Amino acid sequence: TKAKNIMKTATITWNSFYNFGTCLQAFALQKFIESMGCFNKIIDDSTIVAPLAVQTSLWQRIVFKCTYYVTKIVRLFSPKYNAFYKMQRVLILKTNSFKRDMLNIDYNICSVINDETDYDLFICGSDQVWNPMVLEDNRRLFYYANFTTKSKISYAPSLGVVIIPEKWKAKIKELLSSFSAIAVREETGRIALQSIVDIPIQVVVDPTLLLSKSDWEQYVPMIKNEESYVLAYFLTYNASYFSAVRKYAHEHNCKLYMFYLNPSYYKEADKMIMGGPLDFLSYIKGAKAFFTDSFHGTIFSTIFEVPFYTFERFKNETIQNQNSRIENLLSLMGAQSRLFNEENMSDIYKNEDIDFKQYKENLNSQICFSKQYLAESFSKF
């Protein structure tokens, strides 16, 4: 569906974090909106996510400086930290390059917040921009487009939690009262918000699923690699998970490649790797199997039809538990058997046959609904 005139839209989402999924979801939503015939820019949020300036005492500044220099010395003599920070530089350089070349970003945030720019519609989402924790910092009300009286909708923001803390319910109700359409990423988020908001709330897919496999493949560079490898991408260190992955790689005569996301991962794999968002896609696409605790990692292994094994990142009883978003995704796909934890890790050897065609058919109706939601929401303006 194309707008009658070129509608000027602005997306409000995370785009300043050095995280592959964050960058790729922003890219995907922008590309899909442009495919609808609309103009779109992503509003720069670097000043929103930057730490608040804190008044510090002379003693605090001395402690900070001493800690800084001790850390520098430790890194100088530590192969583990030297290797890690070299990888971090690669991540930063390549992510900045991705943002520069692949995203259309409006860096004039002051003008946007003062409502001086000529945007017809603001879209809030995706990623965990509506996690109640953001409300601890008033600047982050930005992710609810609280600065404007212009038209606004949401597309696939995640709460990241199952229950909204009581202290934030009234504030969230107030913030969402001016939205003309609301769609979130998980059913758990819909239930939580619907209990405090009158407007009907929909559930839509993550923006990365709005683009097809062939859409993504035109952006993915091929990695020249003659050896077979299995790939690991873990956001949280878990020794028992790593041990299971190493065993799997060995038994399948593959090298183990691992994204070096934490100094603790040192020498956990045959090869530690790093890159930018597009390298992330390339390594997944070329892998014989993919092991992850990442929501977006699970999505892209499905898109590229690479056998995947998704591990629970959080203990279910912890207050920070964010497993619901992966559970929701796998449920939509009919792939609940692909979720593993410390209790059923041995089952990874029993789950090697994957029916990607069925998974994609299961997702298709929700993808179509999500595209229709955007088309109908845009058509009102």
Side-chain angles (χ1 to χ4, degrees):
T1 301
K2 291 194 175 183
K4 295 173 185 176
N5 301 305
I6 297 181
M7 184 189 299
K8 296 186 69 176
T9 66
T11 301
I12 298 170
T13 189
W14 288 343
N15 55 86
S16 294
F17 293 121
Y18 291 98
N19 177 280
F20 300 141
T22 296
C23 293
L24 293 166
Q25 63 83 21
F27 170 79
L29 185 55
Q30 182 163 75
K31 279 293 173 190
F32 186 75
I33 290 172
E34 289 173 350
S35 77
M36 297 170 65
C38 300
F39 175 84
N40 181 263
K41 279 199 171 186
I42 298 164
I43 308 303
D44 173 50
D45 69 342
S46 56
T47 58
I48 305 298
V49 301
L52 285 167
V54 178
Q55 292 294 323
T56 56
S57 66
L58 176 60
W59 173 245
Q60 286 173 315
R61 290 196 294 274
I62 290 171
V63 170
F64 175 80
K65 280 288 186 184
C66 288
T67 303
Y68 173 78
Y69 286 115
V70 168
T71 304
K72 290 276 280 188
I73 293 168
V74 169
R75 289 178 195 168
L76 188 64
F77 294 100
S78 167
K80 175 169 75 174
Y81 281 96
N82 264 329
F84 175 70
Y85 286 103
K86 282 179 182 176
M87 292 290 192
Q88 288 298 291
R89 285 196 291 273
V90 172
L91 171 65
I92 290 168
L93 285 170
K94 290 211 165 190
T95 302
N96 286 342
S97 175
F98 175 87
K99 287 176 63 177
R100 183 184 65 247
D101 299 338
M102 307 294 286
L103 300 181
N104 190 359
I105 298 177
D106 186 342
Y107 288 98
N108 195 2
I109 188 171
C110 291
S111 178
V112 174
I113 287 180
N114 291 330
D115 218 7
E116 296 166 4
T117 50
D118 187 26
Y119 290 114
D120 304 307
L121 176 67
F122 289 89
I123 304 113
C124 296
S126 164
D127 235 329
Q128 292 187 52
V129 292
W130 283 2
N131 188 310
M133 289 295 291
V134 307
L135 298 171
E136 300 284 355
D137 181 346
N138 280 334
R139 294 174 306 160
R140 299 190 182 188
L141 298 181
F142 163 81
Y143 295 111
Y144 289 84
N146 71 314
F147 54 84
T148 183
T149 57
K150 291 187 177 180
S151 300
K152 55 184 111 166
I153 67 168
S154 75
Y155 184 85
S158 175
L159 275 66
V161 295
V162 176
I163 298 171
I164 299 172
E166 197 65 37
K167 66 176 180 176
W168 296 121
K169 287 184 176 179
K171 185 64 178 177
I172 290 173
K173 181 175 183 177
E174 175 194 340
L175 288 165
L176 296 184
S177 63
S178 57
F179 279 69
S180 60
I182 301 175
V184 294
R185 198 174 66 185
E186 287 92 29
E187 175 65 16
T188 50
R190 186 197 70 77
I191 293 170
L193 287 179
Q194 197 67 82
S195 67
I196 58 175
V197 176
D198 295 329
I199 181 173
I201 297 174
Q202 310 296 336
V203 177
V204 290
V205 297
D206 187 83
T208 53
L209 287 165
L210 296 174
L211 304 186
S212 68
K213 181 183 178 182
S214 59
D215 289 334
W216 283 111
E217 283 178 334
Q218 64 182 303
Y219 302 110
V220 179
M222 291 301 296
I223 292 176
K224 294 178 182 177
N225 201 322
E226 295 180 359
E227 63 182 2
S228 294
Y229 65 92
V230 299
L231 179 65
Y233 177 76
F234 285 96
L235 299 170
T236 302
Y237 181 87
N238 186 305
S240 56
Y241 289 175
F242 290 2
S243 177
V245 175
R246 281 195 302 272
K247 181 183 176 185
Y248 181 99
H250 176 74
E251 293 190 2
H252 287 77
N253 297 313
C254 291
K255 295 291 187 181
L256 173 59
Y257 289 10
M258 182 180 289
F259 277 95
Y260 202 175
L261 301 182
N262 187 303
S264 303
Y265 296 4
Y266 187 63
K267 291 191 174 179
E268 290 282 2
D270 297 305
K271 184 176 180 180
M272 304 305 293
I273 59 174
M274 189 46 78
L278 297 182
D279 298 302
F280 173 63
L281 300 185
S282 292
Y283 276 112
I284 292 176
K285 191 170 184 293
K288 297 299 181 185
F290 181 55
F291 295 83
T292 191
D293 60 1
S294 156
F295 175 81
H296 285 106
T298 302
I299 285 179
F300 283 110
S301 53
T302 301
I303 289 173
F304 294 129
E305 300 178 9
V306 174
F308 67 91
Y309 302 84
T310 300
F311 290 80
E312 289 184 353
R313 185 179 169 198
F314 302 91
K315 301 286 186 184
N316 284 324
E317 62 274 13
T318 59
I319 194 167
Q320 300 93 348
N321 178 17
Q322 297 174 11
N323 292 333
S324 63
R325 58 190 185 141
I326 284 180
E327 291 167 352
N328 181 79
L329 171 67
L330 294 176
S331 178
L332 278 175
M333 291 164 54
Q336 295 93 325
S337 66
R338 309 306 306 173
L339 185 62
F340 303 91
N341 54 37
E342 291 179 4
E343 295 176 4
N344 72 341
M345 282 189 301
S346 61
D347 290 347
I348 62 175
Y349 299 99
K350 306 172 188 174
N351 286 272
E352 300 200 29
D353 294 326
I354 301 181
D355 189 348
F356 283 109
K357 183 179 179 183
Q358 187 61 55
Y359 289 176
K360 290 185 175 183
E361 283 180 10
N362 293 343
L363 281 171
N364 192 52
S365 62
Q366 193 66 16
I367 292 172
C368 291
F369 174 82
S370 303
K371 292 177 177 180
Q372 183 181 359
Y373 164 81
L374 279 173
E376 290 180 355
S377 298
F378 278 39
S379 69
K380 296 174 183 176
F381 305 104

